[in-house]
Amino acid sequence: MRFTLPRDLYHGKGSLENLKNLKGSRAVVCVGGGSMKKFGFLDRAIAYLKEAGMEVMVIDGIEPDPSVETVMAGAAKMQEFQPDWIVAMGGGSPIDAAKAMWIKYEYPETTFEQMCVVFGLPHLRTKAHFCAIPSTSGTATEVTAFSVITDYSKGIKYPLADFEITPDVAIVDPEIAETMPKKLCAHTGMDALTHAVEAYVSTCNCNYTDPLALHAIKMIQSSLVKSYNGCAQARADMHDAQCMAGMAFSNALLGIVHSMAHKTGAAFEKYGAHIIHGAANAMYLPKVIAFNAKNEEAAKRYADIADFIKLGGDTVLEKVQLLIKFVRELNEQLNIPQCIKNYGLDALPCEKGFVPEEVFLEKLPEIAKNAIADACTGSNPRIPSQEEMEKLLKCCYYDLEVDF
């Protein structure tokens, strides 16, 4: 077994300043849609890198759920500039895109298909090191061996997975997360909770990942709703909690909540319904807990979580049910729908959502097949058959009880 994290993790208010201690001659900074510019963090990062004696180039405009095309275009710019540091700032999207650009920059012949081979990447750091600076409190991609890239021609999100893309340096500065809008706070927070819960019940859990997962869940329990409602201290605590959840899942791996979220996210794009990753996780997590709890070992682990965060209950079954109730109540408090049928405009709950029933049912067999084939399925405590995955996805569409 292996436990891998960034070599250096700088945390706490003002930790962005540690950029000026990086050693190199050229840095490329990858950012997203503009919040890093708007709030002045990009300018500060560039100034610190210049103070470190580096020439700086910016790759900006990386979209949410970055595409294969964005990755290839960014890598081409890196080929030209030849950086020895790649610094990625913002939400999960620019950091994930920069990780994939890094692979293509170091190995220009590599195809996207080759990047998708789980733990099959060549040795990186022959040209550049990687620094990640998250602005959202959820994906934890700053400490993980993962990146998610979307192939829009297929409507599928592909997780890239290899310890080679674990960043060298992570800077977890809560000041940057203070700028998150409310909805993003909710979705990224539920993503973080899902990471910790899936890591704890994963078949690859171990003594090194368990404490990180449990403590992250406890912090999320006490901080997420307060953070959503604007408490600055709770925002800072969530930034740490999501990072610990990331440390846990990067090493313990995930499960089918993520498999299903990856394969439904872009599947209904034509209907104006890109199911936001964190909202998908929030909707599917209670259903997957019920499904996995039919496995005795998984049920015991869910009960451990319920005990650790003091949810009550006398039997394992009661504790599992209380954990499901806890997740559903969080969704209510964060204004997240409980099922795909009610997933509407701005990812808010509504009577009739974006995804028409007949379209969902038509796409269901293919989505189920793709979800089973997802990189996250292998470490789930219960491997679903095609029929079970279809039934589970139906429960996630209609908000039905999982009794199989």
Side-chain angles (χ1 to χ4, degrees):
M1 292 177 86
R2 180 173 173 178
F3 187 82
T4 300
L5 296 174
R7 185 179 185 279
D8 294 304
L9 191 150
Y10 298 99
H11 58 96
K13 203 160 184 170
S15 51
L16 183 65
E17 195 174 344
N18 287 285
L19 283 174
K20 68 185 186 190
N21 300 322
L22 299 184
K23 303 277 186 282
S25 57
R26 277 186 299 281
V28 65
V29 181
C30 300
V31 290
S35 66
M36 292 300 94
K37 281 183 198 168
K38 181 177 158 191
F39 295 107
F41 295 115
L42 177 60
D43 286 344
R44 275 165 60 184
I46 292 168
Y48 289 139
L49 290 166
K50 285 184 175 172
E51 204 178 321
M54 293 200 228
E55 195 186 328
V56 182
M57 180 182 84
V58 175
I59 295 175
D60 58 6
I62 295 169
E63 74 275 30
D65 304 295
S67 66
V68 178
E69 290 74 18
T70 294
V71 168
M72 298 307 167
K77 287 179 184 168
M78 288 181 189
Q79 282 297 341
E80 234 171 90
F81 186 66
Q82 291 288 304
D84 40 29
W85 273 99
I86 297 166
V87 177
M89 291 184 83
S93 296
I95 299 174
D96 279 6
K99 284 180 174 180
M101 290 172 194
W102 184 23
I103 302 165
K104 185 75 176 168
Y105 165 52
E106 298 227 357
Y107 293 93
E109 305 308 312
T110 304
T111 63
F112 181 66
E113 288 66 34
Q114 287 168 325
M115 290 185 198
C116 294
V117 176
V118 177
F119 295 101
L121 290 180
H123 180 63
L124 295 182
R125 297 164 183 80
T126 61
K127 293 183 184 176
H129 284 83
F130 195 99
C131 171
I133 307 162
S135 65
T136 61
S137 304
T139 71
T141 187
E142 73 275 7
V143 292
T144 75
F146 299 96
S147 160
V148 179
I149 304 298
T150 305
D151 183 336
Y152 286 96
S153 67
K154 294 179 181 165
I156 294 178
K157 292 185 179 188
Y158 288 97
L160 315 186
D162 198 296
F163 288 118
E164 286 297 325
I165 55 171
T166 304
D168 300 287
V169 175
I171 296 177
V172 185
D173 189 330
E175 211 179 334
I176 304 175
E178 281 171 18
T179 60
M180 267 196 300
K182 211 170 175 179
K183 185 176 82 172
L184 195 55
C185 200
H187 292 161
T188 55
M190 290 306 289
D191 192 20
L193 177 66
T194 306
H195 290 155
V197 171
E198 290 212 291
Y200 192 73
V201 300
S202 156
T203 55
C204 299
N205 71 72
C206 69
N207 291 333
Y208 294 88
T209 57
D210 284 352
L212 289 163
L214 287 173
H215 193 64
I217 294 166
K218 193 173 190 173
M219 286 183 77
I220 291 165
Q221 179 193 32
S222 61
S223 303
L224 177 51
V225 175
K226 289 182 200 160
S227 167
Y228 174 73
N229 290 321
C231 168
Q233 184 54 52
R235 281 273 166 113
D237 289 342
M238 274 303 299
H239 213 41
D240 285 341
Q242 65 87 30
C243 188
M244 284 187 284
M247 292 178 188
F249 94 76
S250 185
N251 292 281
L253 308 181
L254 291 164
I256 58 171
V257 178
H258 273 76
S259 304
M260 291 154 67
H262 291 150
K263 299 322 185 218
T264 50
F268 307 105
E269 197 75 34
K270 286 179 193 159
Y271 301 89
H274 192 113
I275 302 178
I276 295 168
H277 181 70
N281 283 337
M283 294 189 292
Y284 308 162
L285 180 58
K287 307 302 180 198
V288 171
I289 292 172
F291 176 79
N292 283 343
K294 301 289 187 286
N295 172 295
E296 197 179 329
E297 178 58 27
K300 186 181 163 303
R301 289 203 140 240
Y302 288 130
D304 287 346
I305 294 171
D307 286 341
F308 193 76
I309 58 173
K310 299 183 168 51
L311 296 181
D314 296 319
T315 65
V316 167
L317 181 61
E318 278 177 21
K319 289 171 186 180
V320 170
Q321 286 168 339
L322 285 166
L323 182 61
I324 290 169
K325 183 169 176 263
F326 164 70
V327 178
R328 289 180 66 90
E329 283 173 355
L330 275 180
N331 288 345
E332 293 288 339
Q333 290 171 287
L334 300 170
N335 214 6
I336 295 172
Q338 299 288 6
C339 64
I340 300 169
K341 182 166 69 81
N342 300 132
Y343 182 90
L345 189 67
D346 274 341
L348 294 170
C350 69
E351 198 57 45
K352 191 174 183 198
F354 275 122
V355 183
E357 184 179 20
E358 63 278 10
V359 172
F360 173 78
L361 293 172
E362 183 195 327
K363 286 180 170 281
L364 179 61
E366 189 194 356
I367 290 171
K369 179 171 156 247
N370 290 336
I372 292 168
D374 188 87
C376 295
T377 300
S379 44
N380 194 69
R382 190 180 166 200
I383 304 296
S385 66
Q386 174 75 18
E387 186 192 351
E388 285 167 338
M389 182 58 89
E390 287 186 26
K391 279 169 80 174
L392 190 53
L393 282 159
K394 276 187 183 173
C395 291
C396 293
Y397 184 85
Y398 298 107
D399 194 15
L400 304 170
E401 289 286 320
V402 177
D403 58 0
F404 54 90

